[in-house]
Amino acid sequence: MSSSTLYLTVGFVILIGVASAGFGSKVDNTSPDLGYPLVDFGGYQLPIDIGYWDVGPNPHIFDEDDMVYLHFGSAVPATINANDIRLTTSKDLGLQAGSKVKASDTDCGQPLLALPAPPLTAGIYFMDLSGSSPGYDVKDLIYLKTLLPSGITATNDVRMSDVDENKDGTIDLHAGTKVLDYNEDHNRLIIPMIIGFPIYPPVWQESIATIRFYNANGNTMNGIPIYDYGDPVYIDVPFSPLSPGVVSVNDVRLTQ
């Protein structure tokens, strides 16, 4: 079991699980992937968008059981492609957040719908627990904003890091689960990291991060690195569009 560190926020207790790797975990100064070179998505892999597969109990309504994906190569609406990344977990379907879609999987080729939140609201945010400058740090929680209003966590927003309301070190609110109206992290202030989907990295100037990958097998086409099944994907923060990225402390892993 991973260790946890206790933090107090206004009105409730949060524990942040410190995992060595996996979806939603943060890179620290002892991580084996620290310093790996990161590259931007390019060519036919763009744009990068976010959408959902409508498998919940309420057809045509985004709800708790709908699966959310990070999608590469076209704007949503689209179909789910091989190497898209699942951002939510479905125990009923046997699908895990942080896993990549394979061509033989049941969700490959299924329709992918746009999130209810408008493009300049939908995106990746952080909850600033400590308020330290420049704002984002290891203690902060990561969320995917799926619904209005902007700037606060809402029902069916997606946790992209582990959150715990308990004092015993157990994790109840895992990365890949959705915020519900009775959860203690509901209706809390959050700050944009990457918004404006679909994005074409490097992303627009009001974002403080970007999405990059480590080209594990070195594949390229016409000089453009090829993203494929074995390549880990990260929220790279901080970043500069003028310099190559590297895996650094507080980057967030989006793949298992």
Coordinates of all heavy atoms in Angstrom, one line a residue, residues 16 26 126-132 135-142 161:
I16 N -3.6 12.6 0.1 CA -3.2 12.4 -1.2 C -2.3 11.2 -1.3 O -1.3 11.1 -0.6 CB -2.4 13.6 -1.7 CG1 -3.2 14.9 -1.7 CG2 -1.9 13.4 -3.1 CD1 -2.5 16.1 -2.1
K26 N 1.7 11.7 -9.5 CA 2.6 12.8 -9.9 C 4.1 12.3 -9.8 O 4.5 11.5 -9.0 CB 2.4 14.0 -8.9 CG 1.1 14.7 -9.1 CD 1.0 15.9 -8.3 CE -0.3 16.6 -8.5 NZ -0.5 17.8 -7.7
F126 N -6.7 22.3 -11.5 CA -6.2 21.9 -10.3 C -6.8 22.6 -9.1 O -7.3 23.7 -9.2 CB -4.6 22.0 -10.2 CG -4.1 23.4 -10.1 CD1 -3.8 24.0 -8.9 CD2 -3.9 24.2 -11.2 CE1 -3.3 25.2 -8.7 CE2 -3.4 25.5 -11.1 CZ -3.1 26.0 -9.9
M127 N -6.9 21.9 -8.0 CA -7.4 22.5 -6.7 C -6.2 22.9 -5.9 O -5.4 22.1 -5.5 CB -8.2 21.5 -5.9 CG -8.9 22.1 -4.7 SD -9.8 20.9 -3.7 CE -11.1 20.4 -4.9
D128 N -6.0 24.2 -5.7 CA -4.8 24.8 -5.0 C -5.0 24.7 -3.5 O -5.5 25.5 -2.9 CB -4.7 26.3 -5.4 CG -3.4 26.9 -5.0 OD1 -2.5 26.1 -4.5 OD2 -3.2 28.1 -5.2
L129 N -4.5 23.6 -3.0 CA -4.6 23.3 -1.5 C -3.8 24.2 -0.6 O -4.1 24.5 0.5 CB -4.4 21.8 -1.2 CG -5.4 20.8 -1.9 CD1 -5.1 19.4 -1.4 CD2 -6.8 21.2 -1.6
S130 N -2.6 24.5 -1.1 CA -1.6 25.2 -0.3 C -1.5 26.7 -0.6 O -1.0 27.5 0.2 CB -0.2 24.6 -0.3 OG 0.3 24.7 -1.7
G131 N -1.9 27.1 -1.8 CA -1.8 28.5 -2.2 C -0.4 29.0 -2.4 O -0.2 30.2 -2.4
S132 N 0.5 28.1 -2.6 CA 1.9 28.5 -2.7 C 2.2 29.1 -4.2 O 1.5 28.7 -5.1 CB 2.9 27.4 -2.4 OG 2.7 26.3 -3.4
G135 N 1.5 28.6 -7.6 CA 0.2 28.1 -7.5 C 0.1 26.6 -7.5 O -0.4 26.0 -6.6
Y136 N 0.6 26.0 -8.5 CA 0.4 24.5 -8.7 C 1.6 23.8 -8.0 O 2.8 24.2 -8.3 CB 0.3 24.1 -10.1 CG 0.4 22.7 -10.4 CD1 -0.6 21.8 -10.0 CD2 1.6 22.1 -10.9 CE1 -0.5 20.4 -10.2 CE2 1.7 20.7 -11.1 CZ 0.7 19.9 -10.8 OH 0.8 18.6 -10.9
D137 N 1.4 22.8 -7.2 CA 2.4 22.0 -6.6 C 2.0 20.6 -6.3 O 0.9 20.2 -6.6 CB 3.0 22.7 -5.4 CG 2.0 23.0 -4.3 OD1 1.1 22.2 -4.1 OD2 2.2 24.0 -3.6
V138 N 2.8 19.9 -5.6 CA 2.6 18.4 -5.4 C 1.4 18.1 -4.6 O 0.8 17.1 -4.7 CB 3.9 17.8 -4.7 CG1 4.0 18.3 -3.3 CG2 3.8 16.3 -4.8
K139 N 0.9 19.0 -3.7 CA -0.2 18.8 -2.9 C -1.6 19.0 -3.6 O -2.6 18.6 -3.1 CB -0.2 19.8 -1.7 CG 1.1 19.7 -0.9 CD 1.1 20.8 0.2 CE 2.4 20.8 0.9 NZ 2.5 21.9 1.9
D140 N -1.5 19.6 -4.8 CA -2.8 20.0 -5.4 C -3.4 18.8 -6.2 O -2.7 18.0 -6.8 CB -2.5 21.2 -6.4 CG -2.0 22.4 -5.7 OD1 -2.3 22.5 -4.5 OD2 -1.3 23.2 -6.3
L141 N -4.7 18.8 -6.1 CA -5.5 17.8 -6.8 C -5.9 18.2 -8.2 O -6.0 19.4 -8.5 CB -6.8 17.5 -6.0 CG -6.6 17.2 -4.5 CD1 -8.0 17.1 -3.8 CD2 -5.8 16.0 -4.3
I142 N -6.0 17.2 -9.1 CA -6.3 17.4 -10.5 C -7.7 16.9 -10.8 O -8.1 15.8 -10.4 CB -5.3 16.6 -11.4 CG1 -3.8 16.9 -10.9 CG2 -5.4 17.1 -12.8 CD1 -3.4 18.3 -10.9
S161 N -6.7 12.7 -9.9 CA -5.7 12.3 -8.9 C -6.5 11.7 -7.7 O -7.7 12.0 -7.6 CB -4.9 13.5 -8.4 OG -5.7 14.5 -8.0

